[in-house]
Amino acid sequence: MRTPSLHHLFHPDNIEEYLGAVHAGASHLAATMARVDGPSAGASPAEAAAPVADIDLDVPTPGLEGALEELSRVYLDEAIWFHEPTYAAHLNCPVVIPALLAEMFISAVNSSLDTFDQSVGATHIERRLVEWTAGRIGLPRKAPGRAQVGVLADGIFTSGGTQSNLQALLLARDTALARSHVDPERLRILVSTDGHFSVDKAARLLGLCHSAVVEVASDESHRMLVDDLDRAVQKCLSDQLVPMAVVATAGTTDFGAIDPLRRIARCCARYGVWLHVDAAYGGGLLASRRRRHLLDGIELADSVTVDFHKTWFLPVSASAVIVRDGRTLRHVTHHADYLNPVEATDPNQVDKSLQTTRRFDALKLWMTLRIMGPDCVGDYFDAAIDLAHEVHAEITDLPDVEVAAPPGLSTLVFRYRPEAGTVELGALNAQIRAELYRRGNSMVAATKLGGDTWLKLTLLNPQATVEDIRGVLEEVRAVGAGLANVAPEVA
Ligand SMILES: *Cc1c(COP(=O)(O)O)cnc(C)c1O
């Protein structure tokens, strides 16, 4: 029998190998970052595909150096860098070093948060963080040293807001079904037109009917109109439908709008409807010293989504779904004889999760809180929001830029609109975005308003300055002016 070469295993015998790899990797990363000049290298999909396609995966590289050099060619050279101050496209954050330190332990120890016997210590760290987050939200939690009584908040870390929303809506669905034996075809979810698409996806995955998601209109600041919500709930009831959940968004993806949470909660209480707050974006305000009040009313939710990999500056993935009444998590409990048999008494996190094997992502939040502290995290998000307001104050003075709405949090939707000429603005702005990416100095996102393409700045970099974003806008306008001369006139 041939003995395989075992020096690749993470093991005390191979610690020199491990340290060598970590140091070489970190040095390579540092050298790469030192060369980064702008968020993108502008590669087209075809250009980025070629070096990957060229690799013969059956033949490994001769050594670490070769592998790292190859990594640059297939990945790092074309990667998008979120720490660049002119990266202003999607809800990606620059990441904090304490979380990177945590990543090293997460993957090396490789705890799996499904059962206690695979994650001793980790289970309790995750539970403390769930309790801590619930406390920041203002949900009922266990007082230290006191016996548990009544409803207590609980929750679980997930892979992201999409999964958190799915799980919350699953709990809402099963709570509604447990209360009355309705035909699932009659279940409805109410969400504003600005809510996240993952709500529609969740409805589909939960087997609800194609008209299960009822859209409620938003006002001009993209906040849900509560009177319309009230009418929509009443309409459901009078049509013999069952409103199983209202999804309020605390920070819409495009406008950062925070739905009027307290008034929505009152509406939900009136009709006994589950309130889910999607705070995937706005959840960072839970750590803010200056803007926590923007989430007033979130403590009335039945469930809350918080994405730590957005406004808490942690690397992907890190999210949590937190529920007011931890007992509702039983709706995702399944007992497997080999894992968490029905008679098990261990604190098995799999009982509360849609996943089985699960990363110890909670450690990234733990190390971040222990090294930076929550105030510092909140200050980072506040800095991004401050920047959005400063940029907004300047952008409204630009003659050839149109702003869709003032920033709710740290995004700004706008478009380039030349003073002269009758170019098709949607196509022009889409071209501007593509050209910015190709040039590589700055990146903005695009979204649609009334069918037209607009541009979007998503600011999540506490290091970015008004000058940086002024530069982005100057490039948008310069590129736009260049394109507008050649853009086809509208007939
Ligand atoms: C980003 C986002 C989501 C989805 O979260 P993922 O972590 O990307 O799965 C859901 N809701 C809102 C409001 C978001 O901004």
Side-chain angles (χ1 to χ4, degrees):
M1 200 178 79
R2 237 185 102 198
T3 326
S5 162
L6 295 176
H7 69 278
H8 295 299
L9 290 176
F10 180 61
H11 184 276
D13 291 349
N14 298 329
I15 218 66
E16 290 306 321
E17 183 97 11
Y18 170 72
L19 291 174
V22 168
H23 286 142
S27 304
H28 190 75
L29 191 51
T32 305
M33 284 185 90
R35 283 197 306 272
V36 168
D37 178 27
S40 93
S44 69
E47 284 163 351
V52 178
D54 282 347
I55 301 296
D56 181 352
L57 288 173
D58 295 316
V59 184
T61 57
L64 201 60
E65 281 307 311
L68 289 172
E69 179 264 320
E70 181 184 285
L71 183 67
S72 288
R73 267 186 293 123
V74 297
Y75 175 45
L76 298 174
D77 288 350
E78 314 290 0
I80 306 302
W81 296 97
F82 304 140
H83 69 277
E84 281 284 299
T86 53
Y87 177 83
H90 300 286
L91 272 170
N92 311 103
C93 52
V95 294
V96 294
I97 293 168
L100 295 182
L101 181 63
E103 286 281 10
M104 199 151 79
F105 292 90
I106 292 167
S107 49
V109 181
N110 203 26
S111 299
S112 177
L113 270 280
D114 41 346
T115 53
F116 179 71
D117 70 355
Q118 303 174 72
S119 62
V120 178
T123 289
H124 290 102
I125 287 177
E126 174 166 296
R127 288 183 166 211
R128 270 300 301 278
L129 289 167
V130 164
E131 271 180 41
W132 179 84
T133 309
R136 287 258 160 177
I137 294 168
L139 294 172
R141 56 204 282 257
K142 194 171 67 189
R146 299 247 299 276
Q148 300 193 11
V149 280
V151 171
L152 287 175
D154 200 351
I156 196 83
F157 274 67
T158 73
S159 62
T162 303
Q163 195 190 4
S164 295
N165 285 346
L166 171 63
Q167 180 161 352
L169 291 171
L170 185 155
L171 302 181
R173 178 197 65 182
D174 289 357
T175 299
L177 290 176
R179 201 158 44 191
S180 60
H181 291 285
V182 293
D183 176 0
E185 286 280 305
R186 285 164 45 208
L187 295 173
R188 293 295 180 269
I189 299 168
L190 299 102
V191 62
S192 92
T193 44
D194 286 78
H196 195 262
F197 72 86
S198 55
V199 172
D200 295 272
K201 236 176 168 174
R204 201 146 29 98
L205 288 167
L206 293 173
L208 306 184
C209 73
H210 66 272
S211 47
V213 177
V214 177
E215 286 199 350
V216 179
S218 312
D219 64 16
E220 67 282 358
S221 325
H222 301 271
R223 292 153 42 99
M224 185 191 276
L225 284 161
V226 185
D227 290 342
D228 285 36
L229 171 67
D230 200 284
R231 273 194 291 277
V233 173
Q234 283 187 32
K235 170 111 176 45
C236 282
L237 296 173
S238 64
D239 291 347
Q240 310 297 314
L241 301 171
V242 178
M244 64 167 239
V246 168
V247 178
T249 312
T252 61
T253 314
D254 278 345
F255 292 95
I258 299 174
D259 286 338
L261 302 178
R262 192 171 295 284
R263 292 184 55 216
I264 291 173
R266 230 178 276 134
C267 175
C268 288
R270 193 173 311 131
Y271 302 104
V273 182
W274 180 290
L275 171 58
H276 175 63
V277 175
D278 178 359
Y281 178 12
L285 295 175
L286 293 170
S288 165
R289 287 187 277 189
R290 291 193 276 129
R291 295 190 175 90
R292 170 62 181 81
H293 63 274
L294 295 178
L295 294 178
D296 271 356
I298 195 172
E299 70 281 3
L300 301 168
D302 292 292
S303 55
V304 178
T305 289
V306 180
D307 259 8
F308 298 109
H309 61 214
K310 284 179 179 166
T311 47
W312 295 69
F313 306 94
L314 304 191
V316 177
S317 298
S319 176
V321 58
I322 309 288
V323 297
R324 159 177 304 278
D325 182 351
R327 293 170 304 185
T328 60
L329 291 168
R330 74 180 181 281
H331 293 303
V332 297
T333 306
H334 181 91
H335 292 288
D337 291 340
Y338 80 93
L339 197 65
N340 57 337
V342 75
E343 70 276 11
T345 54
D346 278 349
N348 292 326
Q349 294 291 81
V350 70
D351 295 349
K352 308 174 185 181
S353 176
L354 296 178
Q355 292 167 267
T356 307
T357 303
R358 192 162 52 85
R359 274 169 62 86
F360 184 22
D361 286 315
L363 189 64
K364 292 183 284 197
L365 178 59
W366 183 271
M367 294 297 275
T368 300
L369 294 179
R370 300 314 298 143
I371 294 172
M372 284 173 68
D375 289 350
C376 188
V377 176
D379 290 349
Y380 278 21
F381 187 28
D382 270 327
I385 300 172
D386 289 342
L387 177 60
H389 287 289
E390 290 170 57
V391 170
H392 178 251
E394 287 200 5
I395 201 173
T396 46
D397 291 337
L398 299 176
D400 50 2
V401 169
E402 182 181 0
V403 183
L409 290 171
S410 65
T411 59
L412 258 180
V413 177
F414 70 102
R415 63 179 171 181
Y416 173 68
R417 184 188 193 112
E419 292 179 285
T422 47
V423 290
E424 210 279 291
L425 291 177
L428 173 61
N429 280 277
Q431 283 171 12
I432 293 173
R433 171 170 169 266
E435 178 60 15
L436 253 54
Y437 168 76
R438 209 189 56 71
R439 293 178 173 211
N441 303 319
S442 52
M443 276 179 77
V444 300
T447 189
K448 286 201 174 149
L449 272 190
D452 274 342
T453 298
W454 288 59
L455 300 176
K456 178 169 74 165
L457 297 173
T458 305
L459 306 176
L460 271 190
N461 190 338
Q463 229 177 2
T465 62
V466 180
E467 289 71 43
D468 292 320
I469 306 306
R470 207 178 279 147
V472 175
L473 291 170
E474 271 163 23
E475 194 173 19
V476 165
R477 297 163 66 210
V479 167
L483 288 167
N485 289 333
V486 295
E489 303 261 324
V490 176

